[in-house]
Amino acid sequence: MKKRIAIVGAGIAGLAVARTVQDFADVAVFEKSRGLGGRMAQRRREDYAFDHGAQYFSVRGRDFAKVINDAEKAGAVARWPSSISTFPARDFAMAQSSAGQDRYTGVPGMSSLAAYLATGLEIRREFEVSTLERGEAGWQLRPLNKEKTGVVIGPFDFVVCATPAPQVLRLMPTDFSGQETLESVRMSGCFTLMIGDVERRRLPFQAARIDHPILSWVAANDTKPGRTSTLSLTVHSRNDWAEAHLEADRDWIRQTMLAALSEVLGMDFSDAAWIDLHRWRYANVENAAGKDYLWDEKLNLAACGDWCLGNRVEAAFDSGRQLGAAIRRWAERE
Ligand code: FAD
């Protein structure tokens, strides 16, 4: 009989696992949000389109290159940006542009890669898993919003948590063998400011790294392939600044980031038609686990994600892919 496998989280890591095991197992993916892709996120408002999480991704390994090559042929990803500029802290003048290196973005939005990877998979959206419960026939998943009605989904032979490490820690039972490693992983937050303006201001860059005490990145997301032509600027804070102000008043964060941006670019965006702010509680990996994935043989539970290997989309993919291959070996043995 086919193994029944539940995957919590439809980010790149969870989808990479699901794709690897779908030909020999019955797989169900559970995702708390309406959209897929997790931190490869996209937000549309009026004529504006923001990728408010990951901005681009690069490709190093062969496995990922093959998938991205196929996704490019299918029109789900394309190359962007052609160069990345930098704004140094002292004079805030644009210093240099870096070209070369293959970088990609999803098309028409960053989450398009996730949609492409999800083709043919059974995904339950808006299903936030609140607890994993051990039963005689296997694991049951209890959703957060249906707690009171007693609904549980299962049983499953194996459960994968493909969420940021602190969320894995909350879901896994206390006897999960990877607890200590999970506790050693450190992830940091980030604030993302989104600015939309019908008036296309002349910006001399597609994307730029910023060396500044508050900001780290600015990109004209409208210069991405397949996007709207109205100016859609995405601005990321520094992670250490976000960590220090995670619970601060949102209006203050917005105003402070806007002021910093006008200082950096020498342009005032405070009258822009659309300004929005997003807080990422777990944006980036500061200290990775240094393992491909975590696996508990006794409990038939495992975890994967970018936090296993590093702070990149490809790290999430690799972690999920390696875990999928391990599940295949396990299923063949059982
Ligand atoms: P996630 O994408 O976080 O996926 C986890 C999924 O699990 C989410 O969809 C979440 O909704 C879901 N979930 C969580 N808890 C539950 C639950 N209880 N029940 C059900 N579902 C649940 N990487 C790059 O390579 N280049 C970049 O330029 C870049 N910039 C970034 C900028 C920002 C602001 C951020 C936030 C990230 C950036 N990254 C970048 C990192 C990149 O986005 C991640 O490495 C990658 O997307 C992580 O994928 P993942 O599948 O491991 O996790």
Side-chain angles (χ1 to χ4, degrees):
M1 209 171 83
K2 277 187 169 183
K3 295 288 182 198
R4 295 153 303 177
I5 299 174
I7 298 172
V8 182
I12 291 306
L15 294 172
V17 181
R19 272 171 71 97
T20 313
V21 303
Q22 67 177 329
D23 58 336
F24 63 87
D26 281 330
V27 190
V29 182
F30 298 87
E31 169 53 52
K32 73 175 176 187
S33 308
R34 219 172 332 134
L36 306 180
R39 281 169 276 159
M40 293 186 81
Q42 179 185 20
R43 183 174 295 180
R44 284 180 177 279
R45 288 289 183 277
E46 300 171 5
D47 283 340
Y48 315 116
F50 307 98
D51 291 336
H52 59 294
Q55 295 295 293
Y56 70 89
F57 57 91
S58 45
V59 179
R60 297 176 192 169
R62 221 182 307 151
D63 266 5
F64 195 45
K66 167 140 186 25
V67 169
I68 295 308
N69 201 18
D70 292 345
E72 190 174 16
K73 283 184 194 140
V77 304
R79 279 155 212 258
W80 182 96
S82 54
S83 67
I84 298 179
S85 306
T86 55
F87 288 92
R90 211 171 302 146
D91 57 7
F92 303 120
M94 196 171 63
Q96 64 180 55
S97 279
S98 60
Q101 201 187 336
D102 286 345
R103 306 182 185 96
Y104 293 86
T105 183
V107 179
M110 201 56 172
S111 57
S112 305
L113 177 61
Y116 170 81
L117 295 176
T119 310
L121 292 172
E122 183 194 325
I123 301 189
R124 302 223 14 199
R125 299 169 192 241
E126 296 185 84
F127 189 111
E128 179 165 1
V129 178
S130 77
T131 45
L132 307 179
E133 295 174 6
R134 263 174 275 210
E136 282 190 7
W139 289 102
Q140 313 253 37
L141 271 51
R142 190 175 287 279
L144 187 67
N145 44 0
K146 300 205 179 72
E147 232 157 12
K148 291 197 181 90
T149 66
V151 174
V152 285
I153 310 284
F156 294 97
D157 301 305
F158 200 100
V159 180
V160 171
C161 288
T163 66
Q167 293 170 333
V168 175
L169 204 50
R170 282 202 284 275
L171 267 184
M172 288 294 190
T174 48
D175 54 343
F176 177 62
S177 61
Q179 286 277 333
E180 211 173 296
T181 309
L182 282 169
E183 280 162 13
S184 73
V185 171
R186 218 159 53 80
M187 299 188 69
S188 56
C190 178
F191 284 105
T192 300
L193 188 65
M194 290 158 272
I195 301 172
D197 213 349
V198 275
E199 218 180 284
R200 181 80 176 86
R201 303 183 200 205
R202 286 191 159 274
L203 296 175
F205 59 86
Q206 292 179 326
R209 295 196 175 91
I210 303 173
D211 184 4
H212 186 271
I214 295 172
L215 305 181
S216 66
W217 172 266
V218 57
N221 282 176
D222 48 290
T223 64
K224 291 187 169 196
R227 302 308 202 270
T228 160
S229 61
T230 43
L231 180 68
S232 305
L233 268 191
T234 298
V235 185
H236 289 324
S237 73
R238 284 171 60 113
N239 295 110
D240 55 356
W241 187 80
E243 281 293 310
H245 299 95
L246 272 181
E247 307 304 333
D249 176 74
R250 296 299 174 91
D251 277 340
W252 179 81
I253 297 280
R254 193 188 316 240
Q255 293 313 327
T256 307
M257 286 182 71
L258 266 176
L261 185 68
S262 78
E263 179 189 334
V264 169
L265 296 185
M267 287 179 202
D268 182 16
F269 287 97
S270 55
D271 62 343
W274 182 270
I275 300 177
D276 204 358
L277 184 76
H278 183 84
R279 184 187 79 157
W280 294 100
R281 180 65 192 83
Y282 306 114
N284 299 107
V285 181
E286 300 289 339
N287 184 33
K291 298 177 179 177
D292 290 339
Y293 50 80
L294 302 183
W295 177 289
D296 189 313
E297 258 180 55
K298 280 200 201 125
L299 296 180
N300 285 351
L301 294 174
C304 65
D306 61 345
W307 52 269
C308 286
L309 294 169
N311 186 33
R312 299 170 58 234
V313 169
E314 186 170 11
F317 176 86
D318 284 346
S319 173
R321 190 69 147 203
Q322 298 293 342
L323 176 55
I327 294 175
R328 177 189 292 276
R329 294 192 291 276
W330 165 79
E332 283 166 359
R333 276 200 312 271
E334 291 283 305

